[in-house]
Amino acid sequence: MKKKQQHPGGGADPWPHGAPLGGAPPGLGSWKRRVSLLPFLRFSLRDYGFCMATLLVFCLGSLFYQLSGGPPRFLLDLRQYLGNSTYLDDHGPLPSKVLPFPSQVVYNRVGKCGSRTVVLLLRILSEKHGFNLVTSDIHNKTRLTKNEQMELIKNISTAEQPYLFTRHVHFLNFSRFGGDQPVYINIIRDPVNRFLSNYFFRRFGDWRGEQNHMIRTPSMRQEERYLDINECILENYPECSNPRLFYIIPYFCGQHPRCREPGEWALERAKLNVNENFLLVGILEELEDVLLLLERFLPHYFKGVLNIYKDPEHRKLGNMTVTVRKTVPSPEAVQILYQRMRYEYEFYHYVKEQFHLLKRKFGLKSHVSKPPLRPQFFIPTPLETEEPIDDEEQDDEKWLEDIYKR
């Protein structure tokens, strides 16, 4: 007959099949050095200590998770690359992935300042580089109500990234409505030259066909269409006076009603926005340098743009957009325009100085001279007539699409 196991205090061993998992009570040291957890699994005291240390690390990690408001970002990014996870089911959609380059770009293009040329280039570049070019069917509504601003900002912000949104619209403050402020870019030109280009384009169009443009402006009376530019300026017609001449600054000042009033307030606010919200504001008279800087600053969008711009086939398309029947007003009329557009010129020269500073930083030469007594007219090259944004209905986006499909 088998004897019962004895413990040091005498009597039968209370744990004949081994000590419990938590160890024997104090004073009982008879349980075996190795204990049986399962019939086929054994562990030593060293293994037991390792498990406890692992549990401690896990608990500390869980505490850190709660204190920091969620999992480490690299885990979220990893889940994004690996696909769906239980995190999506428990917490909703993940925050959008932060791309290593500006993924939200807005080109709120100023009318008759190179926009048609640049949009045509962007259509080619978007196919080449795979970014989302977002355009608008609304071409002539630059001033928006608060609700219209909110709706447009919502539509832009929900576009697939990386995107570049382009439209004739005055500056929009995304952060005011709780959105992420995008990177802004734009191009301006000599104010009098811009005015003249628009004046004659509205009347006679470009090399796409004078008759076609007249069909687009049927409401314009013949006497208005053939109104002499000098008479318009000297007789102070509405089209040739303020506030119609106060045109460029509102694109940078914004949607505030005072941005449409010629004065120091709108001018200073426009300068502030240029400094704080615009990556680059270029000068049309130096368009090749503008494209070169855009390629440097935004290579994911503009890499190779200068080669495309210089391509003979592209320039052939550009020849069709030259404004026709453009004449230069008399020196007296130009002086009057210069006085009426003094705020526009102060802004233009400010932007030009900033642009030349950027060029010097990147080793590009600038030919800077003192401002003349009156603006010297810039003779446009074939690619420098752009989309108008006057009150007349225009559908130049459709024309661009037709060109692009050829």
Side-chain angles (χ1 to χ4, degrees):
M1 187 174 180
K2 190 175 179 180
K3 291 183 179 181
K4 292 184 179 180
Q5 292 179 326
Q6 300 288 322
H7 62 84
D13 191 342
W15 299 290
H17 299 292
L21 186 59
L28 298 178
S30 65
W31 70 297
K32 295 182 179 179
R33 192 70 177 164
R34 300 183 66 84
V35 294
S36 175
L37 183 62
L38 291 173
F40 301 100
L41 180 64
R42 287 178 172 273
F43 67 92
S44 64
L45 287 177
R46 185 178 61 182
D47 297 329
Y48 179 80
F50 177 79
C51 291
M52 295 302 295
T54 303
L55 181 62
L56 178 62
V57 171
F58 177 82
C59 292
L60 291 175
S62 178
L63 178 63
F64 178 79
Y65 176 98
Q66 297 294 329
L67 292 176
S68 59
R73 177 166 291 277
F74 79 91
L75 289 180
L76 293 179
D77 292 340
L78 182 61
R79 285 191 175 110
Q80 282 183 281
Y81 284 108
L82 294 180
N84 295 331
S85 69
T86 57
Y87 182 85
L88 293 175
D89 301 327
D90 298 336
H91 300 84
L94 292 166
S96 58
K97 184 174 64 175
V98 178
L99 299 176
F101 61 92
S103 58
Q104 303 172 80
V105 180
V106 172
Y107 171 33
N108 63 321
R109 57 188 191 265
V110 180
K112 305 306 292 176
C113 290
S115 62
R116 192 181 303 163
T117 296
V118 176
V119 169
L120 184 58
L121 291 169
L122 285 171
R123 290 184 179 276
I124 299 171
L125 291 168
S126 65
E127 290 289 331
K128 183 177 180 181
H129 299 315
F131 63 86
N132 183 19
L133 178 62
V134 184
T135 59
S136 173
D137 294 330
I138 303 173
H139 309 308
N140 301 307
K141 190 173 179 59
T142 59
R143 309 165 188 174
L144 308 178
T145 65
K146 183 177 179 180
N147 288 336
E148 289 172 336
Q149 292 178 58
M150 293 174 63
E151 186 66 23
L152 180 57
I153 288 173
K154 178 183 176 182
N155 291 338
I156 296 173
S157 300
T158 55
E160 181 182 355
Q161 298 183 22
Y163 70 74
L164 190 151
F165 175 80
T166 177
R167 172 180 162 178
H168 293 302
V169 64
H170 295 168
F171 173 79
L172 293 166
N173 190 341
F174 282 60
S175 58
R176 179 190 173 196
F177 298 99
D180 295 330
Q181 191 72 2
V183 168
Y184 271 87
I185 59 173
N186 217 323
I187 300 173
I188 65 174
R189 73 189 292 187
D190 179 281
V192 168
N193 279 319
R194 195 219 67 81
F195 163 73
L196 291 176
S197 181
N198 189 66
Y199 182 89
F200 291 104
F201 182 84
R202 289 185 64 240
R203 286 160 171 78
F204 309 113
D206 50 34
W207 288 111
R208 286 177 291 166
E210 177 182 345
Q211 187 62 35
N212 290 336
H213 196 75
M214 288 183 177
I215 293 173
R216 290 176 182 166
T217 56
S219 60
M220 184 178 288
R221 296 171 299 175
Q222 287 297 97
E223 57 268 28
E224 181 184 359
R225 190 179 301 279
Y226 293 99
L227 176 65
D228 181 73
I229 182 67
N230 291 301
E231 181 181 351
C232 181
I233 297 169
L234 297 176
E235 297 297 327
N236 204 22
Y237 281 69
E239 186 176 358
C240 299
S241 59
N242 283 312
R244 293 286 291 275
L245 294 178
F246 192 69
Y247 183 86
I248 297 175
I249 287 177
Y251 275 88
F252 301 87
C253 178
Q255 298 290 336
H256 194 284
R258 292 186 66 183
C259 288
R260 300 189 288 274
E261 301 173 3
E264 290 289 339
W265 189 91
L267 171 64
E268 293 305 318
R269 182 159 176 165
K271 289 180 181 178
L272 181 65
N273 279 332
V274 167
N275 294 334
E276 294 185 351
N277 294 293
F278 282 80
L279 178 66
L280 176 68
V281 182
I283 302 297
L284 181 61
E285 292 86 343
E286 303 171 42
L287 183 57
E288 288 194 10
D289 289 340
V290 175
L291 298 178
L292 184 60
L293 287 178
L294 284 172
E295 186 171 358
R296 296 276 187 92
F297 294 158
L298 299 169
H300 292 82
Y301 297 89
F302 289 95
K303 185 177 181 181
V305 64
L306 206 53
N307 293 332
I308 299 172
Y309 174 71
K310 292 181 176 180
D311 185 87
E313 289 300 317
H314 179 79
R315 299 190 76 88
K316 188 186 300 182
L317 294 178
N319 288 339
M320 300 173 64
T321 66
V322 176
T323 302
V324 299
R325 295 201 184 189
K326 186 156 57 172
T327 60
V328 178
S330 67
E332 180 185 3
V334 171
Q335 286 294 338
I336 292 175
L337 280 180
Y338 195 42
Q339 293 170 7
R340 292 174 183 171
M341 305 173 81
R342 60 186 181 277
Y343 293 113
E344 294 275 279
Y345 268 102
E346 186 172 341
F347 180 74
Y348 171 73
H349 288 305
Y350 175 80
V351 168
K352 193 173 184 179
E353 289 173 3
Q354 300 301 311
F355 180 65
H356 286 163
L357 283 174
L358 277 177
K359 286 175 62 175
R360 284 196 291 272
K361 281 185 178 181
F362 284 87
L364 302 177
K365 293 183 179 180
S366 296
H367 303 286
V368 183
S369 58
K370 293 182 179 180
L373 294 178
R374 65 183 180 90
Q376 295 177 346
F377 286 101
F378 174 68
I379 301 175
T381 59
L383 286 177
E384 286 172 8
T385 53
E386 296 70 41
E387 285 181 87
I389 62 168
D390 273 286
D391 295 334
E392 306 294 341
E393 293 290 334
Q394 290 294 332
D395 192 14
D396 288 318
E397 293 289 348
K398 186 176 186 305
W399 175 80
L400 280 172
E401 292 175 1
D402 293 340
I403 290 292
Y404 188 67
K405 290 176 181 177
R406 293 178 186 176

